[in-house]
Amino acid sequence: MATERALDEFVTEANEILDQLAKDLFVLDQERGREPDPERLNAIFRGAHSLKGLSAMFGVDRISRLAHRAEDVLDALRLGKVPLDDRLIDTLIETLDMLQALLARVSQGTSAPDIEAGADHLQDRLGDLAKGRANAAEDLLDQVGLDPAMRSVFTEYEEHRLRENVKKGVGLWKVRAVYSLEDFDAQLAALNARLKPLGEVVSTLPSSQPGDEASIAFDLVFGSARPRADLEKALEGATLAPLTSRPAPEVTKVGRPLPPETSSPAPRPAPKWDETSASGFSPFPESPGSALRLAPDASLRSLTQTVRVDIARLDGLMNSIGELLLIRSNINRLAESARQVGTGVALPKLWGQELQREARALERKLDELQKGVLDVRMVPLGQVFDKLTRLMRRLVRESGKDVDFEVSGGDVELDKLIVEELSDPLMHLLRNSLDHGIEPPEVRRLHHKPTRGKIRLKAREQGNQVIIEVGDDGGGMDEARIRQVAVERGLVTEAQAQELSRRDLLNLVFLPGFSTRADVSEMSGRGVGLDVVKTNLQRLSGLIDIDSRRGDGTTFTLTLPLTLAIIRALMVSVSGRTYAVPLSSVMEIVSVRHADLKTIERREVFEVRGQTLPFVRLGRVFRLPEQPRERSYVVIIGLAQQRIGLAVDELLGQEDIVTKPLSGRLRAVPGVSGATELGDRRAVLVLDVGALMEELLRPQAAAS
Amino acid sequence: MSRFAELLDRFFYRPDEAVGAFLELAPETEALPEAAPEELPEEFLAFELAGETYAVPIATVREIQKVGDVTEVPRAAPNLIGLINVRGEMLPLYDVKRRLDLADAVPVVRSRKDVGRGARVVLVKDPEGDAGILVDRVQGVVKLNLSRLESAPQLGVERDAVAGLSRKDGHLYILLDLEQALS
């Protein structure tokens, strides 16, 4: 097996190929029934071809074999030997899913016995498809008055394109162009560019009747529906001769291009794939023959940690560094002149001014550099939205519901890390909307709603944050049911439940243990793993909020910081220890006298503008030695609708910090999301506000 | 004509190009280096813990550092001394003495001032994440023969963090099982 590093490279590259394949197949899928763009088919073919070569090179046999079969089918398709029908598209999409699943296993270094069988099966089906039906149609090329010498050098693909052009009934021309040896490639490219809008250049060959010593002649076979006069204008010097000499057969009268099997008058042998479909395989992915079902917990996260970067952004970084080097040499010069002045002698005032100017320039450039590096980390949300769109199309088909899926804001950019981490929560929410939000068509009709449901995925930028909305126009949430379930599960008491505001009530669905998979369907509610979604978001310092109207649908709103890499934090100190609190979750800071504290059920609370909030001493949570104090600063932290006052000794100001994750062994430390270094290189812990709130609020609810 | 042939060759797109050339490359990338013969003595880093000499394979050692600022981590594992900043990387610093019954409690170390002059942080590589262990003194690199490894005698104490004993030039080296020692 290849080394780990080589494997990483393989996974990265294979992933890129698969992403591109997915895009092309998606277009093909959307344009079902129309004649496919030959360029697109070629691109897909090349993708499968490269994947085959790549995986063979790295000894990933499993992928190589499947890609090989797919390549065979695509080659046959490209050459018109097999028709592009729904069955073929579905099989190709399935193959793509399978390749992605196999690649995921490779990257995890695990074997894939469970999907192995599916892959074998798929491989056989592809094999059957590739054999397709023999193209027994009378060779249309014989109708073309083509020089046999010329025809003999045609590739199979060129022959196929020529055949397609004959079928379309367009005029076929032979273009002879003579160009000077010096710039024939440019000239030829220009000619191609001029001809392209008018029709299809089937083949370009060096002419069998060469030109003189200093020039070279080409014969282009060109198919076009335009009149001769139009073409001659575009030729600029090349000569034109009609190719079709024999009368066109009746198929050329068909105005619209048709796939070969419908226009072919000749009887064909029984197609192989009919036999397989008779033995129980239907052309849709939900059939039992489907090789790969989407596991409910399948992740959409990409397999690699790489970011593709626009070279312009890197150039920008390079520039900043260049200017920093300039500043460095200026500072060096100043330092040198200070040294020469000697000790005990006052430095000239000018020197100080100059140093100050350089310091300011340094600061500006560093800011620029920081921004530049952050920019590099930014990727469009579209990367995830595309995957989600494909997934939703399939889920919608499998669900049998009638749903429109609208996506907008794919161009909004976010930190790569966040975009990756978002894919799973978003998938969860979308599935939720589809499974539990959108009612069956009959119910919708009953409520005078259009039978076709709507699910929206929208993103927009708002200041330093990105707002993502997942909404549906389904049945909405049932508050009474939520209240009932929450009380039954002991998450809140009856009395508490009655007092909760509408919003707080809705947010109960985010509590772990609010619902279990088994009884979701009976309570017709939502909340499948919503606690997981919330936890995921908290890791990203994001907020989630629900708005739901009975009968009108539900909208989840996710608020996320633009980047995780550098965040603004409030530095606080407790019992002499310093901690960083991400400013994004700090609502406000107040100073509270301990004499003003009250208790509710022996828990300390304080009042701020008429609102009573829990007063939590961070020192006690962290079991630090405590000194008696008269007053504390209270940092009010909030997540979704919940608020807590975190009591600390001192406020040390704000800092831009880079949060570093803690190593594997420390990942489980509660209430800490990472560490950062301060100016004196000391490590400072960054509080995990989400986890802290979770921890501090949960026992309260359970205890009551 | 050969120059033209070449130019033309580059100009034309051939979709049917073979993959054969790549396939031939494949077996080479799979070749693995032969495992080293077993007899050679292996290198170990020897260090002192409460007067005893311990050793870990040099291959597991990332680097050795002086003790700097250590940040306390509340509610972490009891054998964790704190968090250290190794050129921007935040790594845990562990005490192994208590695990080996060499001390009754995990020391409170916040900075260089809390430890002896010879004390060092030995950073070890670990699949679960690199970690530092606090040692009293680093002795140096020794070559030990793994084939002449003794198992630890039964001394009535739990010694499962000891992988074995090795003797060389009259010194006793206790081989530390890092995975156990850090758990």
Side-chain angles (χ1 to χ4, degrees):
Chain A
M1 198 62 217
T3 62
E4 201 170 308
R5 193 192 155 82
L7 195 68
D8 277 355
E9 273 171 32
F10 165 69
V11 172
T12 309
E13 209 160 314
N15 226 354
E16 274 175 18
I17 296 175
L18 284 178
D19 277 354
Q20 188 54 47
L21 269 181
K23 264 187 209 145
D24 288 332
L25 274 178
F26 181 60
V27 177
L28 212 60
D29 187 25
Q30 280 188 320
E31 294 177 350
R32 266 172 209 248
R34 265 179 275 169
E35 198 202 14
D37 175 5
E39 275 309 309
R40 188 163 324 275
L41 286 184
N42 263 330
I44 297 175
F45 167 74
R46 279 198 300 270
H49 175 82
S50 324
L51 186 64
K52 180 190 77 173
L54 185 74
S55 43
M57 203 156 86
F58 283 89
V60 188
D61 198 34
R62 189 65 265 192
I63 292 180
S64 169
R65 267 183 290 155
L66 189 57
H68 190 143
R69 286 298 171 82
E71 185 196 354
D72 287 348
V73 173
L74 288 163
D75 195 29
L77 182 65
R78 196 170 70 93
L79 299 173
K81 287 183 191 161
V82 294
L84 181 70
D85 51 18
D86 281 0
R87 182 189 162 72
L88 185 60
I89 296 183
D90 287 335
T91 311
L92 286 175
I93 291 174
E94 236 179 280
T95 308
L96 177 74
D97 290 339
M98 177 58 79
L99 286 170
Q100 270 162 345
L102 287 170
L103 186 62
R105 297 305 171 95
V106 170
S107 75
Q108 290 157 7
T110 52
S111 60
D114 49 331
I115 51 178
E116 195 86 350
D120 283 336
H121 178 82
L122 201 55
Q123 211 168 301
D124 292 345
R125 275 165 60 198
L126 285 170
D128 288 344
L129 281 171
K131 279 177 227 155
R133 64 205 78 179
N135 199 346
E138 181 202 355
D139 199 344
L140 297 164
L141 291 189
D142 295 341
Q143 298 152 14
V144 183
L146 205 57
D147 184 346
M150 198 165 167
R151 195 178 150 186
S152 64
V153 295
F154 270 19
T155 65
E156 205 178 348
Y157 179 68
E158 285 167 340
E159 280 193 14
H160 162 62
R161 291 315 311 164
L162 186 60
R163 216 172 273 135
E164 288 292 301
N165 274 291
V166 174
K167 253 182 258 154
K168 278 191 235 168
V170 298
L172 285 172
W173 308 89
K174 182 165 127 180
V175 178
R176 187 177 156 83
V178 182
Y179 293 125
S180 149
L181 278 180
E182 266 143 36
D183 59 349
F184 73 87
D185 43 357
Q187 292 271 16
L188 199 54
L191 178 66
N192 265 300
R194 288 197 302 271
L195 288 176
K196 205 138 197 193
L198 302 173
E200 182 179 352
V201 179
V202 174
S203 165
T204 308
L205 296 167
S207 176
S208 46
Q209 296 122 32
D212 57 60
E213 290 276 286
S215 64
I216 183 165
F218 292 92
D219 287 330
L220 278 72
V221 178
F222 182 63
S224 170
R226 301 292 190 88
R228 182 172 185 142
D230 276 10
L231 302 181
E232 268 168 351
K233 244 181 273 163
L235 287 176
E236 293 178 13
T239 55
L240 193 69
L243 258 182
T244 317
S245 52
R246 280 198 256 162
E250 86 261 56
V251 277
T252 55
K253 285 179 208 135
V254 181
R256 211 183 133 271
L258 285 171
E261 79 273 23
T262 43
S263 62
S264 149
R268 52 169 196 262
K272 181 83 176 165
W273 54 269
D274 275 354
E275 288 159 27
T276 49
S277 69
S279 57
F281 304 125
S282 89
F284 297 103
E286 60 264 39
S287 71
S290 176
L292 180 74
R293 302 296 301 255
L294 192 82
D297 55 346
S299 176
L300 282 182
R301 243 177 259 199
S302 62
L303 304 170
T304 52
Q305 295 282 352
T306 49
V307 179
R308 278 164 162 266
V309 181
D310 182 355
I311 193 87
R313 286 182 174 181
L314 288 182
D315 286 346
L317 288 182
M318 221 36 223
N319 280 343
S320 300
I321 290 171
E323 285 166 66
L324 281 171
L325 290 176
L326 214 69
I327 295 171
R328 184 195 63 176
S329 59
N330 283 345
I331 291 177
N332 276 347
R333 185 174 44 79
L334 286 169
E336 183 61 23
S337 66
R339 200 177 59 84
Q340 278 169 4
V341 166
T343 43
V345 185
L347 285 160
K349 197 174 172 194
L350 204 66
W351 186 90
Q353 283 171 351
E354 221 177 312
L355 183 63
Q356 199 174 22
R357 198 168 54 232
E358 292 304 326
R360 260 192 237 117
L362 181 68
E363 199 174 309
R364 260 200 318 273
K365 287 297 147 200
L366 281 177
D367 276 353
E368 223 177 88
L369 191 64
Q370 188 189 71
K371 210 181 146 292
V373 174
L374 284 187
D375 263 358
V376 167
R377 299 179 59 100
M378 300 299 248
V379 296
L381 265 173
Q383 287 189 355
V384 165
F385 282 11
D386 284 353
K387 288 187 199 167
L388 288 169
T389 308
R390 287 200 297 277
L391 177 82
M392 278 305 277
R393 283 174 59 89
R394 198 161 73 206
L395 290 178
V396 165
R397 257 204 290 175
E398 281 172 18
S399 74
K401 286 181 183 171
D402 208 4
V403 177
D404 275 332
F405 183 50
E406 284 173 18
V407 181
S408 64
D411 51 344
V412 172
E413 291 196 333
L414 261 177
D415 191 289
K416 163 89 175 169
L417 255 183
I418 301 181
V419 169
E420 284 300 319
E421 291 288 328
L422 263 181
S423 58
D424 289 352
L426 285 178
M427 180 173 85
H428 233 108
L429 292 176
L430 287 171
R431 285 185 85 115
N432 216 27
S433 284
L434 179 65
D435 293 347
H436 307 292
I438 302 288
E439 320 91 319
E442 317 85 68
V443 179
R444 293 183 66 93
R445 217 170 293 128
L446 214 66
H447 288 99
H448 309 289
K449 290 205 228 173
T451 49
R452 205 171 171 78
K454 208 180 264 179
I455 297 179
R456 295 172 308 269
L457 175 62
K458 277 197 280 194
R460 63 175 199 280
E461 229 170 294
Q462 190 178 299
N464 261 338
Q465 291 175 321
V466 168
I467 316 280
I468 303 179
E469 281 177 16
V470 177
D472 63 59
D473 66 345
M477 294 188 186
D478 187 341
E479 287 166 49
R481 272 255 168 73
I482 292 174
R483 189 173 287 134
Q484 190 192 332
V485 171
V487 173
E488 269 170 28
R489 303 266 146 106
L491 300 168
V492 289
T493 61
E494 188 73 55
Q496 278 176 321
Q498 292 306 323
E499 280 169 25
L500 284 175
S501 70
R502 220 182 84 81
R503 240 177 153 193
D504 288 343
L505 195 66
L506 289 176
N507 273 284
L508 286 177
V509 301
F510 289 123
L511 287 180
F514 175 79
S515 76
T516 57
R517 248 157 236 271
D519 37 26
V520 158
S521 48
E522 349 168 335
M523 59 164 272
S524 78
R526 317 270 300 250
V528 190
L530 280 179
D531 58 320
V532 178
V533 172
K534 192 178 176 186
T535 332
N536 281 343
L537 274 167
Q538 281 172 355
R539 272 217 305 268
L540 304 173
S541 340
L543 307 177
I544 184 164
D545 194 12
I546 314 180
D547 189 25
S548 182
R549 300 270 159 202
R550 193 86 189 113
D552 289 344
T554 305
T555 303
F556 289 90
T557 308
L558 284 60
T559 310
L560 293 151
L562 272 178
T563 177
L564 277 185
I566 297 187
I567 57 168
R568 201 142 182 83
L570 176 71
M571 311 306 287
V572 301
S573 117
V574 185
S575 308
R577 280 90 170 160
T578 307
Y579 299 102
V581 189
L583 213 56
S584 59
S585 35
V586 174
M587 302 294 149
E588 63 178 303
I589 301 164
V590 293
S591 170
V592 173
R593 282 201 324 170
H594 287 189
D596 293 341
L597 292 175
K598 307 239 171 1
T599 59
I600 297 180
E601 291 175 329
R602 286 197 293 171
R603 282 164 198 280
E604 288 176 308
V605 295
F606 69 105
E607 200 195 290
V608 56
R609 287 189 307 274
Q611 208 184 352
T612 306
L613 296 176
F615 179 88
V616 178
R617 296 172 198 243
L618 186 61
R620 278 191 201 166
V621 175
F622 281 172
R623 302 188 200 122
L624 303 174
E626 234 179 320
Q627 287 110 25
R629 305 183 64 86
E630 280 203 356
R631 55 167 60 238
S632 291
Y633 287 102
V634 179
V635 180
I636 300 176
I637 53 175
L639 211 60
Q641 272 62 56
Q642 289 154 331
R643 303 277 178 276
I644 276 186
L646 215 50
V648 299
D649 297 348
E650 306 282 345
L651 301 176
L652 306 175
Q654 297 180 14
E655 300 251 3
D656 282 326
I657 60 164
V658 179
T659 309
K660 310 265 173 73
L662 297 183
S663 98
R665 300 178 165 276
L666 292 181
R667 210 165 285 153
V669 174
V672 173
S673 64
T676 186
E677 60 183 316
L678 286 192
D680 58 1
R681 308 208 46 236
R682 204 156 38 97
V684 168
L685 299 180
V686 181
L687 300 189
D688 181 345
V689 171
L692 270 178
M693 294 202 53
E694 199 75 60
E695 176 190 337
L696 297 171
L697 291 171
R698 202 185 312 155
Q700 242 172 343
S704 49
Chain B
M1 257 324 254
S2 74
R3 197 174 71 88
F4 303 139
E6 226 178 87
L7 277 167
L8 281 169
D9 211 47
R10 261 185 285 153
F11 191 77
F12 292 118
Y13 162 59
R14 287 194 178 72
D16 308 294
E17 159 185 329
V19 76
F22 293 110
L23 287 167
E24 276 163 32
L25 286 171
E28 278 181 26
T29 53
E30 273 184 302
L32 273 175
E34 287 288 309
E38 275 174 59
E39 308 304 312
L40 287 173
E42 279 188 36
E43 289 188 317
F44 284 80
L45 180 78
F47 50 84
E48 278 172 29
L49 288 172
E52 299 178 1
T53 305
Y54 286 80
V56 291
I58 197 86
T60 63
V61 177
R62 204 179 98 171
E63 60 184 284
I64 300 164
Q65 281 217 328
K66 286 192 177 170
V67 180
D69 283 333
V70 183
T71 300
E72 168 187 16
V73 181
R75 302 188 292 177
N79 62 338
L80 181 82
I81 299 174
L83 203 61
I84 50 172
N85 176 9
V86 182
R87 292 182 302 277
E89 203 179 339
M90 301 298 167
L91 298 176
L93 177 64
Y94 285 98
D95 167 77
V96 290
K97 281 193 202 168
R98 205 183 69 139
R99 181 81 177 76
L100 295 164
D101 254 333
L102 299 172
D104 293 331
V106 173
V108 175
V109 179
R110 294 292 156 253
S111 73
R112 187 161 49 91
K113 281 174 254 157
D114 301 328
V115 293
R117 278 179 64 90
R120 293 288 182 275
V121 173
V122 176
L123 288 176
V124 294
K125 297 175 206 160
D126 188 88
E128 264 190 74
D130 295 356
I133 49 179
L134 186 65
V135 304
D136 294 341
R137 202 171 73 85
V138 171
Q139 287 187 343
V141 178
V142 286
K143 285 190 177 181
L144 299 176
N145 243 325
L146 275 186
S147 49
R148 270 183 273 143
L149 209 64
E150 272 176 63
S151 55
Q154 291 292 316
L155 294 171
V157 287
E158 213 189 324
R159 285 248 165 201
D160 60 353
V162 173
L165 306 175
S166 187
R167 250 168 241 286
K168 194 184 184 190
D169 308 330
H171 292 287
L172 178 68
Y173 295 96
I174 310 168
L175 303 189
L176 197 60
D177 181 341
L178 276 174
E179 203 181 313
Q180 289 294 332
L182 293 180
S183 64

